[in-house]
Amino acid sequence: MTVAYAEHGSIATLTLDNPPVNALSVAVRQGLRDGLRRALAEPTVAAIIVMGKGRNFIAGADIREFGRPPQPPRLVEVIAEIEASAKPVIAAIDGVALGGGLEVALGCHFRIGTPRAQLGLPEVKIGIIPGAGGVERLPRLIGIEPALKMMVSGDPVRAAKAKELGILDAIVEGDLAAEARAFAERVLAEKRPIRRLGQMPIPGADGDWRQLIEAQRKLASKQNRGQISPQKVIDCVANAITLPFDQAVAETIRVINELIPSEQAKALRYAFFAEREAGKVPDIEAGTAPRPLRGAAVIGAGTMGAGIAMCFADAGIPVRILESSAEALEKGLARIGKLYDEMVQKGRIGAAEREKRLGLIAKAAGYEALGEADIVIEAAFEEMAVKRDVFAKLDAACKRDAVLASNTSYLDINEIAAATRRPESVIGLHFFSPANVMKLLEIVRGKATGKDVVATAQALAKMLGKVGVVCGVCHGFVANRSRGAMTREANFLVDEGALPHEVDRVLYEFGMPMGPFAVADLAGIDVGWRVRRSFDATRRKDERYSPTADRLYELGRYGQKTGKGWYRYEPGSRTPLPDPEVEAVILKSSKDQGITRRAIGEDEILARCLYAAVNEGAKILEEGVALRASDIDVMWLYGFGFPRWRGGPMYWADTVGLGKVYDGVQRFHREQGTFWTPAPLLRRLAESGGSFTAG
Ligand code: 3H9
């Protein structure tokens, strides 16, 4: 029974029961309609409550049904029947009412929610638009501007905000079913008029709403560059304002039917499920108990250490920072203070919240002060000897069940773990810069890492609001190793004839937030230089190496922080400007390498950069370092801002066609040599007509 029917006196309650999140599958739609009809036909029933079993009202349409032929009854029709009901219908919301879930609630005549209710129309995030009357009803209920904002951003609002906006009529505490019945009794006793949103005018429809529409269009084209659905929802809101309700709904349905099978919506649905899949590690059972996470410590107060400490403070977890010198520690704390000040200035947090968060960050006087930490994250200098020294000290100082983590971006976790007598407690937790902003947490599992420690890392990711993806050990792990292939090619392209801004533009237009050279300037050319030096001893003598970035380093061009890197920057500006000085360095470098520069087309730039990442991704996959191709994609989405509407590099390669990608890789292999050795997995899939991500 997906929708249970019960009567208490004159009140019927329809309880949706479709675990895990009460998605509106065909059976639920049928059950809802049947329950409604039964309640309407029952003479003793005077009011009807719709609610969800478990911790959620309804998470929306069943996304898994989108690829299949639609089955009746359509949601829009069920909602029309609810709205038309002569008996008052009350939505009683706990947990989420998202997408079709909120649309059901908007079809009801009254809405109440618990304090933990969250309401939203997130359809744009999966490449579609609300298709069951939400586009038309929400502006009628709360006005054009807030409705537009909710639909264009797709972000849900919490109960208090929903009440303030007028989406919820009341917030109730205690037993929701009982509260809903009491609310229904009041509606009946007070003979409150039934409010059918579909029949109401839109407030402000005769005003100057076109400006609002244009402002949202601009914002969406900036925030979701290249993505179609936010623009489509804006079109449909404009229709909702100018057309009669039924006509506007029909037009919205036409648009959603076009969007559902679109490439972007497919990629966004893929990304949604890929993210959920990433949380599952085959040999770690769902019930594996994580270790406690009440207090943390961070070693190192540099950019990463400070950012990681902020992650804990932001999540309400007390954290201590240990640095080798008092000066470095003060510098780190000053950086944190400045970042919180900026957040206050931008209105992201209030002054009291800043104080609270700063209050959670404390100095640690020495390793002895870390004895009580449940988790320690080392973000010290990227050198094995330094790491091993830190871990040996942590081993001596920390309590027995503490998790000892390293934020290393490429060093061997097994070797680090071997510096302790408890390798089972050691794990890699690789944050991405800026650590308090980027959502990826690459969880690197060493060969001895305990299952409970992996589970703890996954729990930590959730607590910090990050997306945790588990992988194995290899140089650079999954994210940086696959991205490293892209930056390698970007550098070679510049040596061969392209200019940094040309390469960056191609990747920016593809949808990346920044090209690799702008990123290098942000991260610091000196940082890249140090990483390259760490490879010097192991780099093969016959391996092609681009020395151009080293030349910039020698000139003191460290990137944004010195106002000069691959680009130049006006004082106080972060806008990269092409610099003739850099061009001269590049031309000389090409000459010194004996390369005759040539014109390089956009197609080659894109293929060289992305096929390189895909080929490396295939190798990583085959080595078992990544569990699945979709994990690599999730890492690129959350670590590097790969355009979500393209799914991720591995999914994107599937859409290009692996035959074509493999041909390209073979061609580059012939032209460029060993770096392009085709991944055997790529070859096999290309030859068998397979794909990385299907199935
Ligand atoms: C829509 O409504 C269109 C309408 O306008 C009507 C058009 C006609 N469908 O995220 P979790 C699964 S579009 C199918 O891990 P959480 C999910 O895959 C829809 N499955 O839990 C996972 O499965 P598994 C608009 C869904 O507590 C499990 O539920 N709505 C759906 O962290 C648990 O999910 C949305 O876009 C679904 N709609 O977060 C909401 N939702 O265990 C999408 C979840 O096998 N959903 N599943 O891996 C969410 O945002 C989050 O899942 C939610 C729960 C906040 C609900």
Side-chain angles (χ1 to χ4, degrees):
M1 182 66 96
T2 49
V3 179
Y5 181 94
E7 283 178 20
H8 290 82
S10 61
I11 297 169
T13 302
L14 312 183
T15 308
L16 279 67
D17 181 10
N18 184 23
V21 291
N22 294 329
L24 291 157
S25 63
V26 59
V28 174
R29 299 196 298 274
Q30 272 163 1
L32 190 54
R33 186 196 54 189
D34 295 349
L36 177 77
R37 288 181 181 176
R38 183 170 162 192
L40 289 174
E42 199 59 64
T44 54
V45 168
I48 303 156
I49 293 165
V50 179
M51 60 185 292
K53 188 171 174 193
R55 292 174 59 79
N56 290 304
F57 180 66
I58 303 169
D62 187 336
I63 302 174
R64 291 180 206 274
E65 280 184 6
F66 282 147
R68 308 181 204 143
Q71 279 182 282
R74 291 190 308 160
L75 184 60
V76 69
E77 290 159 359
V78 178
I79 294 174
E81 276 196 48
I82 294 175
E83 186 168 72
S85 161
K87 301 178 183 179
V89 187
I90 296 125
I93 302 169
D94 188 26
V96 300
L98 295 177
L102 180 54
E103 291 177 300
V104 167
L106 293 171
C108 297
H109 309 128
F110 301 93
R111 286 156 294 278
I112 63 169
T114 65
R116 53 178 293 279
Q118 282 191 52
L119 295 83
L121 293 172
E123 282 85 344
V124 290
K125 296 190 182 188
I126 50 167
I128 60 168
I129 57 174
V135 170
E136 294 74 20
R137 287 193 179 90
L138 193 61
R140 285 176 160 79
L141 181 62
I142 65 172
I144 297 168
E145 189 172 9
L148 251 179
K149 281 189 181 158
M150 278 181 70
M151 285 187 257
V152 175
S153 72
D155 294 335
V157 293
R158 293 181 180 279
K161 180 75 183 170
K163 171 85 174 30
E164 187 189 314
L165 288 170
I167 309 178
L168 287 180
D169 298 302
I171 297 178
V172 296
E173 311 228 10
D175 178 48
L176 181 60
E179 290 296 330
R181 286 197 296 274
F183 185 88
E185 299 285 5
R186 281 200 298 281
V187 166
L188 294 173
E190 293 166 14
K191 295 196 171 51
R192 285 199 210 168
I194 281 178
R195 200 158 56 140
R196 297 190 178 88
L197 294 178
Q199 296 174 3
M200 285 168 45
I202 295 186
D206 48 1
D208 196 5
W209 50 267
R210 284 180 208 278
Q211 271 184 8
L212 294 174
I213 294 267
E214 282 324 305
Q216 283 296 318
R217 266 197 206 293
K218 272 207 193 115
L219 190 72
S221 58
K222 215 169 119 196
Q223 288 181 345
N224 297 297
R225 195 163 45 87
Q227 194 178 323
I228 300 163
S229 53
Q231 300 296 338
K232 292 285 183 188
V233 85
I234 295 170
D235 293 345
C236 289
V237 171
N239 287 332
I241 301 169
T242 53
L243 298 177
F245 180 83
D246 288 340
Q247 233 175 299
V249 170
E251 179 56 17
T252 299
I253 290 175
R254 190 190 64 72
V255 174
I256 191 178
N257 285 340
E258 266 176 27
L259 288 173
I260 286 174
S262 69
E263 288 307 319
Q264 287 202 356
K266 278 193 219 159
L268 287 162
R269 286 200 289 274
Y270 161 81
F272 175 83
F273 288 114
E275 191 179 327
R276 265 99 207 140
E277 198 63 19
K280 296 169 191 155
V281 182
D283 68 325
I284 295 183
E285 300 72 33
T288 308
R291 296 187 186 178
L293 285 168
R294 287 170 304 237
V298 175
I299 312 285
T303 314
M304 283 315 279
I308 295 169
M310 286 176 78
C311 293
F312 282 105
D314 292 352
I317 303 170
V319 56
R320 288 167 176 267
I321 312 184
L322 180 69
E323 247 299 352
S324 48
S325 79
E327 197 195 336
L329 183 55
E330 290 308 326
K331 223 171 126 191
L333 290 172
R335 180 181 296 123
I336 293 173
K338 194 165 157 256
L339 287 169
Y340 278 134
D341 285 348
E342 279 172 19
M343 283 162 75
V344 174
Q345 275 155 24
K346 288 181 187 158
R348 296 209 183 122
I349 55 169
E353 183 61 28
R354 176 193 54 195
E355 289 316 305
K356 191 178 139 212
R357 294 187 192 186
L358 281 172
L360 288 166
I361 302 176
K363 299 179 200 174
Y367 280 86
E368 319 76 68
L370 309 183
E372 285 311 303
D374 293 314
I375 183 164
V376 184
I377 301 186
E378 165 278 317
F381 204 66
E382 278 290 80
E383 220 172 80
M384 184 52 85
V386 175
K387 307 272 184 201
R388 286 182 58 93
D389 180 53
V390 169
F391 274 77
K393 287 181 177 142
L394 288 176
D395 190 24
C398 293
K399 64 180 178 186
R400 202 56 231 155
D401 64 346
V403 171
L404 308 183
S406 173
N407 176 52
T408 178
S409 29
Y410 53 91
L411 295 175
D412 186 345
I413 295 296
N414 296 322
E415 212 180 319
I416 295 174
T420 71
R421 288 158 300 167
R422 42 171 129 171
E424 71 286 354
S425 292
V426 177
I427 193 164
L429 288 181
H430 183 204
F431 289 73
F432 289 71
S433 186
N436 58 322
V437 177
M438 297 308 286
K439 280 190 75 179
L440 177 61
L441 183 63
E442 193 175 30
I443 300 173
V444 188
R445 184 178 185 179
K447 59 176 191 279
T449 308
K451 288 185 185 184
D452 62 332
V453 172
V454 177
T456 310
Q458 290 180 296
L460 176 72
K462 280 215 174 105
M463 287 168 89
L464 302 186
K466 308 233 177 256
V467 178
V469 188
V470 177
C471 67
V473 175
C474 68
H475 201 93
F477 317 126
V478 173
N480 280 354
R481 177 172 154 194
S482 52
R483 187 178 181 279
M486 176 179 86
T487 43
R488 177 197 77 214
E489 289 305 310
N491 281 279
F492 290 164
L493 284 162
V494 162
D495 288 344
E496 290 168 33
L499 289 173
H501 67 269
E502 292 167 349
V503 175
D504 277 359
R505 186 174 45 78
V506 169
L507 286 157
Y508 178 80
E509 282 174 3
F510 176 81
M512 298 295 290
M514 291 167 117
F517 295 101
V519 171
D521 274 0
L522 184 65
I525 305 262
D526 52 330
V527 176
W529 183 86
R530 252 180 265 123
V531 174
R532 286 192 297 282
R533 295 298 69 80
S534 76
F535 287 113
D536 283 347
T538 49
R539 189 179 297 114
R540 288 208 335 248
K541 292 285 163 284
D542 58 345
E543 197 174 285
R544 181 173 172 191
Y545 176 80
S546 170
T548 314
D550 293 344
R551 298 293 92 82
L552 297 180
Y553 171 82
E554 287 151 13
L555 292 169
R557 301 188 70 113
Y558 293 171
Q560 278 195 21
K561 60 184 147 195
T562 55
K564 286 173 173 185
W566 286 102
Y567 296 95
R568 67 180 183 85
Y569 299 84
E570 294 292 341
S573 160
R574 293 178 178 199
T575 309
L577 302 167
D579 187 344
E581 255 179 63
V582 175
E583 197 172 330
V585 172
I586 291 170
L587 296 188
K588 180 165 185 314
S589 177
S590 301
K591 201 164 162 225
D592 293 347
Q593 294 175 71
I595 298 172
T596 310
R597 294 179 66 80
R598 62 187 171 93
I600 301 180
E602 294 183 358
D603 290 350
E604 181 179 343
I605 292 177
L606 192 68
R608 287 270 297 275
C609 290
L610 292 188
Y611 289 5
V614 170
N615 194 39
E616 197 64 35
K619 290 177 188 170
I620 291 171
L621 204 53
E622 193 148 41
E623 290 165 22
V625 175
L627 280 169
R628 18 180 128 76
S630 58
D631 284 1
I632 303 176
D633 285 336
V634 173
M635 291 207 195
W636 276 67
L637 296 180
Y638 287 106
F640 307 133
F642 192 92
R644 194 173 171 93
W645 48 271
R646 291 194 193 269
M650 307 307 276
Y651 179 88
W652 171 79
D654 284 344
T655 63
V656 171
L658 294 190
K660 186 172 169 195
V661 174
Y662 179 53
D663 286 348
V665 169
Q666 280 181 303
R667 178 162 63 88
F668 297 139
H669 188 211
R670 283 191 301 273
E671 293 169 6
Q672 303 281 339
T674 54
F675 279 129
W676 282 93
T677 306
L681 175 65
L682 174 62
R683 177 174 50 76
R684 282 201 306 281
L685 290 173
E687 286 173 356
S688 64
S691 75
F692 289 125
T693 59

